[in-house]
Amino acid sequence: MSEPTLFEETPAPSAPAVSGLSVVAFDLSLKAPGICYRDGSTATIKTRDKDGDRRLLTIEEAAEIAIGGEHLGLGPVPTLAVLEDIPKNSFAAKPIAMVHAIVRRLLMKAGVPYALVTPATLKTYATGKGSGDKVPMAIAALKRAGREFPDDNQCDAFWLWCAGLDRLGHPPVSLPKAQRDALKKVSWPEVKR
């Protein structure tokens, strides 16, 4: 596999203790996918345009490590994965779809159920408003969790992770009911508890 050009990581200050339940989350793109690992730490996998489709191999390797599994010596796979859904009517939809295919295939092979959260639903969950730029997401992460991120990819992955744990009944941040109700729009898979 190709070697990642750069992993920019942000450690988790404190991960919630959730007995036997774990979530991994992905904000997928071809240039700089964000990952939130089971412990709440985050990373951005930065790829280079000049590497062309080989970037997909870098992303695949990073996703495989995040998913883990016994075959990698990383213990059991996560209970749930949460991915930001492919944006509709976007120029970026085609390359993001390629990345989604790779990550979804890995999840299916590992037996990890996954949910897709639209960008508007994620913003509503994190901020109470389903539109706008990325700044309110970062402000909400700082306000609600005391977390700062070097980029919006890690921030979005963090909020996807929060949504997954919330769905499993262990929300890592306190949010108003109206914001938590946004998750009712998501088609959540059955998970083994």
Side-chain angles (χ1 to χ4, degrees):
M1 298 222 166
S2 64
E3 190 173 315
T5 56
L6 173 67
F7 281 90
E8 188 173 315
E9 295 189 30
T10 304
S14 62
V18 182
S19 61
L21 301 176
S22 61
V23 173
V24 65
F26 299 92
D27 177 31
L28 297 173
S29 70
L30 192 54
K31 289 185 181 239
I35 298 175
C36 189
Y37 300 96
R38 298 172 222 211
D39 66 356
S41 63
T42 57
T44 304
I45 295 82
K46 295 192 176 180
T47 64
R48 300 178 301 203
D49 288 342
K50 71 178 186 175
D51 291 338
D53 285 349
R54 296 201 62 76
R55 294 180 288 179
L56 296 170
L57 297 174
T58 300
I59 295 166
E60 179 180 36
E61 184 175 24
E64 187 172 38
I65 291 167
I67 295 164
E70 300 292 343
H71 68 289
L72 293 176
L74 299 173
V77 296
T79 308
L80 175 67
V82 185
L83 292 73
E84 188 170 77
D85 203 357
I86 300 170
K88 307 278 188 263
N89 304 318
S90 166
F91 175 76
K94 246 185 209 180
I96 292 173
M98 292 189 306
V99 178
H100 264 261
I102 287 169
V103 173
R104 290 184 197 189
R105 180 179 176 273
L106 287 171
L107 291 166
M108 287 185 281
K109 282 180 69 175
V112 178
Y114 61 88
L116 302 173
V117 179
T118 67
T121 297
L122 185 62
K123 286 179 183 178
T124 302
Y125 174 71
T127 71
K129 187 176 177 189
S131 61
D133 62 21
K134 301 286 188 175
V135 173
M137 298 282 285
I139 292 170
L142 184 59
K143 178 182 172 185
R144 302 282 183 188
R147 299 283 303 268
E148 290 185 74
F149 302 95
D151 59 52
D152 59 292
N153 306 307
Q154 288 186 39
C155 186
D156 284 0
F158 168 76
W159 280 113
L160 292 162
W161 177 78
C162 289
L165 283 172
D166 198 333
R167 173 61 182 173
L168 294 176
H170 298 278
V173 295
S174 178
L175 294 173
K177 182 183 181 312
Q179 286 175 230
R180 293 184 71 219
D181 283 348
L183 298 182
K184 292 178 181 176
K185 293 180 177 182
V186 178
S187 178
W188 295 98
E190 289 292 321
V191 298
K192 296 177 185 174
R193 293 182 184 238

